[in-house]
Amino acid sequence: MNADYVIVGAGSAGCAMAYRLSEAGKSVLVIEHGGSDAGPLIQMPGALSYPMNMPMYDWGYSTQPEPHLGGRSLVTPRGKVVGGSSSINGMVYVRGHAGDYRHWAESGAQGWDYADVLPYFKRMETWHDGGQGGDPDWRGTDGPLHISRGPRDNPLHAAFVEAGRQAGYEVTGDYNGKQQEGFGPMEMTVHKGRRWSAANAYLKPALKRKNCDLIRGFARKVVIEDGRAVGVEIERGGKVEVIRAGAEVILAASSLNSPKLLMLSGIGPAAHLAEHGIEVVADRPGVGQNLQDHLELYLQMAASQPVTLFKYWNLLGKAWVGAQWLFTKTGLGASNQFESAAFIRSRAGVDYPDIQYHFLPLAVRYDGKVAAEGHGFQAHVGPMRSGSRGAVTLASADPNAAPNILFNYMSKEEDWEDFRTCIRLTREIFGQEAFAPFVKHEIQPGDALQSDDELNGFIREHVESAYHPCGTCKMGAAEDPMSVVDPECRVIGVDGLRVADSSIFPRIPNGNLNGPSIMTGEKASDHILGRRLPASNAEPWFHPNWQTEQR
């Protein structure tokens, strides 16, 4: 089998590229190891805690013991299913801040400044504000990806935003518009009550075209002849075969699997490849390095009124929510329940937000276990730009072996300071008048923990990944030895090969990474097709007194 373009990975970026390249008349084959995304556990937004904990849909990767977290090994879910991680994620939609893309461009990813990427965010979106205000001029109206907002009818959502205002922070009607900084409604990739994954938005329409096809198989390596990628070796049905690419091979296999595939194909740090007996095709020391993520904690409060979602957290309640969703695609099952959010700055002198909040009207863990207190609510909070960097390396030359993943979380002293700041600022927000009718007491960390040492102990034990790994095939200037791809997403040192997924991010952007990953697929498609959308001249908002004021 062959096609002009062979894409490895039917995830956020891969689906977008399959859509745009086939739309332009190119023949496309997408290779995906995972299975179908059909069924309520994936398609029902309210069931989001299930698929990311299921081996059927997840690669099942974990980190090496993290040295600064007391040797804890953290799970790092990645979607092994049609739609990739967009089929198992929390569906939160964040573009990132203009300052993030300015940093990309300044660090060598020319042509990826905010003015360059904003037109692609607009092209990919169909935005539904649900009558809640926002910045229509900054948003898309006819893209494949539907963006919506939850009803926000639980009184705690309004209390969270009002408490932020009372604490002196900005309120924003649209953090994906002109002004990210502030408290306001959260957005999600949900359409007509269903998870609107990259598979639903892009891949399924693309597969209706004669020139786009999906192959179920396990990618083993890129086949390179005379310095050019000519295909992908895959295993399916117990046989190994090669899928040939007439024009290019594109890796969109995630920030964990794309670097792994490059290294298995002989592209990576020469000494590391030699350790595993892999012949070096291109010595690129940056492959697998620069691994980044967002960590977060949740601060949980016991509620003094039974207004939280806890009343549905029993067999009968879940059955009712599930039935309502199955038959009408409405009700609590039609939302991820993250309906209010905030982006704030940790201190004066930080020019754009470096802390994110997801607010949830329930006290619950990611594995679905609720707090013993019963009725409660929580804010997920974490710093956006940790200086800690880790790596993805090969455990073995066997393609079936999982890669070694070490984020090296909390390896910088500033990380600890930033998290303590997050806890203290959150306590101040929960202490505002708007929450007075709802707060009983603090469940986690608990009032007893106040000193730096006490908070550090809590952080070490409770901090969790927000599941935003990226950066392992850094995009940058071709002359930078740590760059893996150039600003056209071409792998440096090999012809006919590109990487386009979250692994190319030079630095992690603010917020959840699904939006920027899809944008990467959209923009990479245009680079491949030799075209570009004109840059935007919209002026994003930065706090006028950022140098002297924290809020």
Side-chain angles (χ1 to χ4, degrees), residues 165-509:
R165 192 190 65 75
Q166 288 171 353
Y169 294 103
E170 294 284 327
V171 170
T172 178
D174 188 356
Y175 64 67
N176 284 315
K178 183 183 177 74
Q179 179 178 335
Q180 186 189 72
E181 186 167 335
F183 283 67
M186 194 155 231
E187 299 195 329
M188 54 185 174
T189 47
V190 171
H191 182 46
K192 295 184 175 170
R194 287 173 62 211
R195 174 191 289 274
W196 205 245
S197 65
N200 285 336
Y202 288 97
L203 187 63
K204 286 165 191 176
L207 291 173
K208 291 185 175 141
R209 301 177 184 136
K210 289 191 175 69
N211 56 337
C212 183
D213 221 337
L214 179 69
I215 298 172
R216 301 285 294 285
F218 176 73
R220 293 166 54 88
K221 67 174 186 178
V222 180
V223 179
I224 298 166
E225 294 170 1
D226 302 324
R228 181 175 188 86
V230 296
V232 180
E233 183 181 286
I234 69 164
E235 187 181 327
R236 60 170 172 168
K239 290 197 199 64
V240 174
E241 57 186 299
V242 174
I243 308 295
R244 309 280 298 188
E248 292 185 21
V249 171
I250 307 160
L251 298 185
S254 83
S255 58
L256 307 178
N257 285 328
S258 289
K260 176 190 159 184
L261 277 166
L262 286 178
M263 289 186 279
L264 289 171
S265 312
I267 303 158
H272 180 58
L273 300 184
E275 278 170 39
H276 294 288
I278 296 169
E279 192 181 331
V280 178
V281 171
D283 178 12
R284 297 307 305 171
V287 175
Q289 302 299 305
N290 193 44
L291 176 62
Q292 301 162 60
D293 191 13
H294 288 140
L295 281 177
E296 63 180 20
L297 287 167
Y298 20 97
L299 267 74
Q300 295 183 326
M301 309 297 285
S304 55
Q305 295 185 42
V307 293
T308 76
L309 303 180
F310 180 71
K311 53 179 167 287
Y312 300 100
W313 216 260
N314 53 59
L315 212 54
L316 209 60
K318 287 181 179 180
W320 155 247
V321 168
Q324 187 183 20
W325 182 83
L326 274 171
F327 293 114
T328 67
K329 298 294 180 282
T330 61
L332 289 172
S335 168
N336 60 5
Q337 304 310 327
F338 290 118
E339 296 176 7
S340 286
F343 289 92
I344 64 173
R345 291 173 302 112
S346 59
R347 58 185 185 277
V350 173
D351 64 344
Y352 69 97
D354 58 344
I355 293 175
Q356 179 187 17
Y357 285 103
H358 300 66
F359 179 76
L360 188 63
L362 179 69
V364 65
R365 295 193 333 205
Y366 270 144
D367 60 9
K369 292 191 170 66
V370 287
E373 304 272 349
H375 278 285
F377 49 91
Q378 66 196 35
H380 297 228
V381 62
M384 290 290 95
R385 296 189 283 285
S386 164
S388 295
R389 296 290 180 271
V392 172
T393 52
L394 293 177
S396 141
D398 174 8
N400 291 294
N404 285 333
I405 302 161
L406 184 73
F407 285 93
N408 203 24
Y409 289 126
M410 305 298 289
S411 58
K412 299 271 194 258
E413 188 47 49
E414 304 86 79
D415 294 338
W416 297 90
E417 192 180 324
D418 290 347
F419 259 108
R420 293 192 302 266
T421 300
C422 286
I423 293 171
R424 288 169 175 147
L425 292 175
T426 308
R427 282 173 162 169
E428 184 194 10
I429 291 159
F430 280 149
Q432 298 298 315
E433 194 57 36
F435 271 118
F438 304 111
V439 166
K440 193 168 162 194
H441 59 259
E442 186 179 298
I443 303 173
Q444 175 177 304
D447 294 336
L449 305 186
Q450 295 292 339
S451 72
D452 285 4
D453 280 353
E454 287 165 343
L455 293 182
N456 285 350
F458 173 77
I459 293 162
R460 189 175 294 108
E461 202 174 320
H462 290 275
V463 79
E464 289 189 16
S465 170
Y467 310 140
H468 300 162
C470 63
T472 48
C473 301
K474 187 180 87 150
M475 171 170 52
E479 56 276 10
D480 175 356
M482 294 308 283
S483 296
V484 176
V485 300
D486 69 11
E488 304 271 321
C489 305
R490 297 174 299 210
V491 174
I492 300 162
V494 181
D495 292 331
L497 180 61
R498 296 191 207 228
V499 178
D501 59 21
S502 67
S503 60
I504 73 168
F505 298 176
R507 187 174 75 183
I508 194 165

Side-chain angles (χ1 to χ4, degrees), residues 12-27:
S12 300
C15 290
M17 288 186 287
Y19 180 94
R20 294 298 177 192
L21 294 173
S22 62
E23 177 186 56
K26 309 295 183 187
S27 62

